[in-house]
Amino acid sequence: MAANAEVRRLLRKREECIPSIVALLSPEEDSVCHEFSALCLSYMSNDFSSKVSIYEQDGLEPLIRCLTSNDPDVQKNTIETIAHMLQDYQARTAIRELDGLRSVMDLLRSEYAVIQHLALVSLERATQDPDNRTALREMEGLDVLIRFIGTPEYSDLHTFAVMVLANCLDDVESMETIKDSGGLQRLVAFITDVKPPDEEPKKEGKKAGSRKGKKSKDDDEDKHKSKSSADDLVPTLPEVKQYASQAIARAAKNADNRKILHEVEVEKMLILLLGHEDPNVQAAAAQGLAVMSENLTSRESIGQWEGIEPLVKMLKSDHDQSREVSSLALANLTTSSTNNCNEVLTYGGVEPLINLLSDTREMAIANAAVVLTNMSTDELMRSNIQNCGVIYALIDPLKSSNSTVQAKAALAAAAFVCDADTRTEFRNSGGLEPLFKLLTSGNDEARRNASWAITVCAVDEPTAAELCKLGGIEILQEICLSTSRRNAFSEAALGKLLDNNLSAKYAMGGQLSQTNLITDGFFDPGQLRPGQKFCNLEDYCKKPVDQTRPVLLINAKAGLPTSPMPASSEVDLKIDGSKSQLTVKSSKTGKESKGKSKAQREREERQKEAELQEALQREAEMNSDNQPFILPADPTLARYVDEVQEKIQPLDSTLEQVTALAQYTAEKMGGPIERGQVANFSYELPISQLKYELNSNVVPLGMIKTGIHYHRAILFKV
């Protein structure tokens, strides 16, 4: 009846139910009574509340006692109940205190597979407790498990035994114990279906002698059987190989365990499993290699033992997990290892890695980006990868919603966008916008790597200008002002953008360095307040004339296109041409208008001319978005530059050049001003007149004849 869920629900409501059933497990009762009371408890223990009730009624002790019964049905029902109860942490502690682990281990010798299976399930749950793992190690349970795995008759239970062993190997002490006893070598042999390496005779004899007095005759017989079975190894099931590889990967997460595993050359076992026909086994082996390769020595050994080639082949697998874990293994293997990077290149790994950047699994994309980044440290490999189209392939990962993929892709972009051609390709392919958006990411690594990539991209002036248009300076300024988001790369990126946009640098910082050379197109809008937006020259040109300080423009060459605004000279040319056309047309039609009066003909001509001007004006407005804006020419400044190059540059010493240049600058800006007489120097009115004459807030520097310190400083710098 307890097999029915509804019946169990009613039994739980009766407080005397569990104590009564537990009482039937007493030694005075018959084995039949033990069998069915244990069976009832196994059904009841499926529910958590019943597990607690059995524990509180001290039901675990009589259950452990029943494990030694001669009746296999009693053993089966009892161990099943214990397996259910061990899902609760309290029972895991209690079974150790009641010395129940030894009784559970003894059930591994049962003739019945179901009892062995339930015993292994119980041990797997019990060994989740560290103290239970210690107790199992002290009773030499690890050797029992390895012998169990090496017995071909138990092949269908090997998976569960490996799961127990995986829990035990989390402890360094267990790893050392199993290594010293030779159990680790035997485990590797069982998994790879090969004979274990010969152990040192002295060491083997010492261990055998130390254990001889501790083992019973049955243990000696088991040892004899295990020796005979080791001579004739039977292939283990793929599931066992898979779980064993996962157990090694799990144990190898501990640095000390990695050293121990490397000493027994467990990497060779994992490399051998990479060639298994089952993709799950391949994936588990690659995962183990990925963890082991965090150790530098293991990393080199895997490369020497030809582990790179099968991992590269797995990148092309149809099995999703295989692609992901093989890329992870290669990412770890190629870290700080030029030899392994060369191996990846030799075995044709570049193309599948680039293809992996468009994979459906996000971590596979991130791992591929890491491998490519590791390989980019070598110039020849980097050039090879660039020729395979990595620049375009990185753009989609930059748009990913996964922060890890974004961070790794941004770092890869920084590694490969390192010359003018690749920066141009990256810019033309639309990579700057998704990279720029990563600056606003909430992930520190993604934001930091994006800042570094922008630092590399901003070396080119066209790329820096495009980033400035996207608002890069404002965003980076905001990041650098933040105490939580600021980093060294964001500061470097801002500095690089400003070095390629000296107008913004001067407006924000108020100074330029000696290496910053002013060129045509530079303008000074005045010192910006913190948080004030920096506008481009086109915006300043479009603003109506106001009372603000004029924007000083440097343009020693006429005809520098910067923004889509029509030039007034072109409109004048069109008007003049149209007038001539109108005159010719009027002369042709003179005969037709001969009968009209002179005043009437003049009125019609003026009307046609006005209509033509209006049409040309409309056409100019329509085409203004398609025509480049020609900056106002500054022939005076051009003449200044020529005079300086002709008269001052040939001077012998730097001091003479600087002195002469300072005197020349002062002369062109209204002459010397005595100290303290700046307030009496009239300069504002002439400059305001220039603004209104030009009908613009932008004033070419050469047109200013009366300037104070900041006018003279810019002219001196030019």
Side-chain angles (χ1 to χ4, degrees):
M1 292 176 65
N4 185 279
E6 188 64 25
V7 172
R8 290 199 301 271
R9 185 180 66 82
L10 295 174
L11 289 175
R12 285 197 302 271
K13 293 181 178 180
R14 300 180 65 90
E15 296 181 359
E16 70 277 8
C17 176
I18 298 295
S20 300
I21 300 173
V22 171
L24 295 175
L25 295 173
S26 63
E28 294 80 12
E29 298 293 338
D30 187 77
S31 62
V32 177
C33 189
H34 290 169
E35 175 186 349
F36 289 101
S37 58
L39 180 60
C40 182
L41 288 177
S42 70
Y43 287 134
M44 294 293 293
S45 60
N46 280 310
D47 304 313
F48 180 78
S49 59
S50 296
K51 290 185 183 70
V52 176
S53 297
I54 296 171
Y55 175 79
E56 292 176 348
Q57 297 299 324
D58 298 327
L60 193 57
E61 184 176 2
L63 285 169
I64 292 173
R65 188 170 58 248
C66 288
L67 290 176
T68 58
S69 173
N70 294 326
D71 189 340
D73 291 326
V74 175
Q75 292 179 339
K76 182 263 179 187
N77 296 337
T78 303
I79 191 61
E80 186 173 9
T81 305
I82 292 175
H84 291 162
M85 292 188 65
L86 286 174
Q87 291 176 325
D88 181 32
Y89 74 96
Q90 291 179 321
R92 296 171 195 162
T93 304
I95 195 172
R96 181 182 68 254
E97 295 173 350
L98 296 172
D99 197 23
L101 291 175
R102 192 177 300 276
S103 299
V104 176
M105 289 292 298
D106 290 340
L107 293 181
L108 294 180
R109 303 173 184 173
S110 174
E111 299 176 0
Y112 301 95
V114 63
I115 295 178
Q116 293 175 315
H117 170 250
L118 290 171
L120 289 170
V121 171
S122 300
L123 288 172
E124 192 276 330
R125 293 171 180 173
T127 51
Q128 294 176 18
D129 184 279
D131 294 330
N132 286 344
R133 295 197 290 268
T134 302
L136 194 67
R137 183 172 65 249
E138 292 174 352
M139 66 177 67
E140 300 183 357
L142 298 178
D143 287 340
V144 175
L145 289 169
I146 291 178
R147 289 200 303 272
F148 188 91
I149 296 173
T151 305
E153 291 80 6
Y154 303 149
S155 60
D156 55 336
L157 298 173
H158 285 170
T159 300
F160 301 98
V162 169
M163 293 170 68
V164 180
L165 199 60
N167 289 342
C168 296
L169 294 181
D170 282 347
D171 299 332
V172 179
E173 295 82 2
S174 298
M175 184 68 74
E176 291 176 345
T177 300
I178 194 175
K179 171 182 174 289
D180 293 340
S181 66
L184 195 55
Q185 291 89 334
R186 293 201 303 273
L187 176 63
V188 170
F190 298 149
I191 300 306
T192 54
D193 306 327
V194 296
K195 292 183 179 181
D198 294 334
E199 300 177 21
E200 297 178 6
K202 293 182 180 180
K203 185 176 180 181
E204 187 178 23
K206 182 180 178 181
K207 292 296 177 182
S210 63
R211 297 187 179 200
K212 188 174 181 181
K214 297 181 181 179
K215 291 189 177 285
S216 62
K217 292 183 178 180
D218 293 335
D219 291 336
D220 292 336
E221 291 175 1
D222 289 340
K223 181 184 288 187
H224 179 72
K225 291 180 180 178
S226 65
K227 287 182 179 178
S228 62
S229 62
D231 294 334
D232 300 320
L233 289 171
V234 177
T236 53
L237 296 175
E239 292 80 5
V240 180
K241 299 180 189 294
Q242 176 184 348
Y243 280 102
S245 300
Q246 291 174 349
I248 290 173
R250 176 177 164 183
K253 291 180 180 179
N254 183 291
D256 294 330
N257 282 347
R258 282 200 297 272
K259 294 179 181 178
I260 296 172
L261 290 169
H262 175 67
E263 289 175 3
V264 298
E265 298 182 347
V266 74
E267 298 94 336
K268 287 186 177 179
M269 177 201 90
L270 296 172
I271 293 172
L272 186 63
L273 292 180
L274 291 178
H276 197 274
E277 58 184 8
D278 191 326
N280 292 317
V281 175
Q282 295 176 1
Q287 184 180 5
L289 287 173
V291 182
M292 286 297 298
S293 58
E294 293 180 13
N295 186 344
L296 179 60
T297 310
S298 296
R299 204 179 302 160
E300 296 174 352
S301 299
I302 293 170
Q304 293 171 359
W305 293 333
E306 300 180 354
I308 303 294
E309 184 178 6
L311 288 171
V312 170
K313 290 180 179 179
M314 287 177 63
L315 295 175
K316 308 173 186 177
S317 173
D318 295 332
H319 191 250
D320 293 345
Q321 189 180 5
S322 295
R323 294 197 305 273
E324 180 177 333
V325 293
S326 61
S327 62
L328 175 61
L330 289 173
N332 292 340
L333 285 168
T334 54
T335 301
S336 304
S337 178
T338 305
N339 291 333
N340 288 345
C341 290
N342 284 322
E343 289 287 312
V344 174
L345 182 65
T346 301
Y347 292 117
V350 172
E351 187 175 348
L353 283 169
I354 292 177
N355 293 335
L356 212 59
L357 292 174
S358 58
D359 199 84
T360 55
R361 295 177 75 96
E362 292 178 331
M363 292 314 299
I365 299 174
N367 296 334
V370 173
V371 180
L372 293 169
T373 303
N374 293 339
M375 296 176 68
S376 68
T377 55
D378 183 86
E379 185 176 354
L380 293 177
M381 282 190 280
R382 183 173 63 246
S383 177
N384 191 309
I385 296 171
Q386 288 171 341
N387 294 335
C388 291
V390 69
I391 300 298
Y392 183 79
L394 284 171
I395 295 176
D396 283 340
L398 289 173
K399 301 176 182 178
S400 172
S401 58
N402 186 293
S403 58
T404 302
V405 175
Q406 293 173 346
K408 304 305 181 185
L411 189 60
F416 288 102
V417 186
C418 54
D419 56 74
D421 293 337
T422 53
R423 282 191 285 269
T424 302
E425 181 184 355
F426 187 68
R427 184 176 68 249
N428 294 338
S429 300
L432 291 180
E433 187 172 354
L435 181 63
F436 170 76
K437 289 181 179 179
L438 293 185
L439 292 176
T440 60
S441 172
N443 182 273
D444 291 341
E445 185 183 6
R447 191 168 58 250
R448 182 172 60 251
N449 292 349
S451 299
W452 174 239
I454 286 176
T455 304
V456 177
C457 289
V459 173
D460 282 343
E461 187 174 346
T463 308
E466 188 68 26
L467 288 168
C468 291
K469 289 181 182 179
L470 293 171
I473 292 178
E474 291 78 6
I475 293 295
L476 287 170
Q477 265 191 317
E478 181 183 346
I479 293 174
C480 291
L481 292 174
S482 172
T483 56
S484 59
R485 295 188 296 160
R486 181 176 56 202
N487 58 75
F489 293 131
S490 63
E491 295 174 357
L494 178 60
K496 190 64 68 174
L497 283 181
L498 291 178
D499 284 340
N500 283 280
N501 192 336
L502 296 183
S503 301
K505 183 176 183 178
Y506 190 57
M508 294 176 182
Q511 62 181 2
L512 297 176
S513 66
Q514 295 179 352
T515 57
N516 296 143
L517 303 179
I518 292 179
T519 57
D520 294 322
F522 175 88
F523 62 96
D524 172 26
Q527 185 77 35
L528 297 181
R529 295 185 298 273
Q532 185 177 358
K533 183 180 179 181
F534 175 78
C535 301
N536 56 33
L537 186 59
E538 178 184 350
D539 296 332
Y540 287 116
C541 289
K542 289 181 178 180
K543 287 183 179 179
V545 178
D546 52 27
Q547 300 298 322
T548 59
R549 204 203 84 166
V551 177
L552 305 180
L553 172 65
I554 306 301
N555 182 31
K557 293 181 181 179
L560 182 66
T562 60
S563 58
M565 294 181 63
S568 58
S569 59
E570 294 180 2
V571 177
D572 293 340
L573 287 173
K574 288 185 177 181
I575 294 174
D576 293 341
S578 301
K579 285 183 180 180
S580 62
Q581 291 177 7
L582 181 62
T583 305
V584 173
K585 186 176 180 181
S586 299
S587 63
K588 288 181 180 180
T589 58
K591 295 180 180 179
E592 298 177 3
S593 58
K594 189 175 182 181
K596 297 182 180 179
S597 64
K598 183 178 180 180
Q600 189 176 4
R601 287 197 303 272
E602 290 178 356
R603 186 168 56 254
E604 290 178 355
E605 288 178 1
R606 284 196 302 271
Q607 183 178 358
K608 290 180 180 180
E609 186 175 346
E611 291 176 355
L612 182 59
Q613 288 181 348
E614 291 178 2
L616 290 174
Q617 186 66 27
R618 286 194 300 270
E619 183 181 355
E621 292 176 356
M622 292 174 62
N623 295 333
S624 61
D625 293 336
N626 299 323
Q627 295 180 354
F629 170 53
I630 306 301
L631 286 177
D634 195 351
T636 304
L637 181 61
R639 188 175 71 253
Y640 290 169
V641 173
D642 292 338
E643 290 178 359
V644 168
Q645 291 176 344
E646 180 182 352
K647 298 178 181 179
I648 299 178
Q649 191 173 6
L651 295 178
D652 296 333
S653 67
T654 304
L655 178 61
E656 291 177 348
Q657 291 177 343
V658 171
T659 303
L661 184 60
Q663 293 173 350
Y664 183 87
T665 300
E667 177 186 346
K668 299 303 179 183
M669 284 292 172
I673 304 175
E674 297 294 333
R675 187 180 299 274
Q677 298 300 317
V678 176
N680 299 326
F681 184 75
S682 177
Y683 71 95
E684 294 179 338
L685 182 59
I687 293 177
S688 298
Q689 289 176 342
L690 283 174
K691 286 172 59 176
Y692 284 97
E693 288 176 5
L694 296 172
N695 193 28
S696 174
N697 290 317
V698 179
V699 177
L701 184 63
M703 299 182 69
I704 298 176
K705 305 303 180 184
T706 53
I708 57 172
H709 55 279
Y710 64 88
H711 304 100
R712 301 181 184 212
I714 295 178
L715 182 59
F716 184 88
K717 180 79 172 171
V718 172

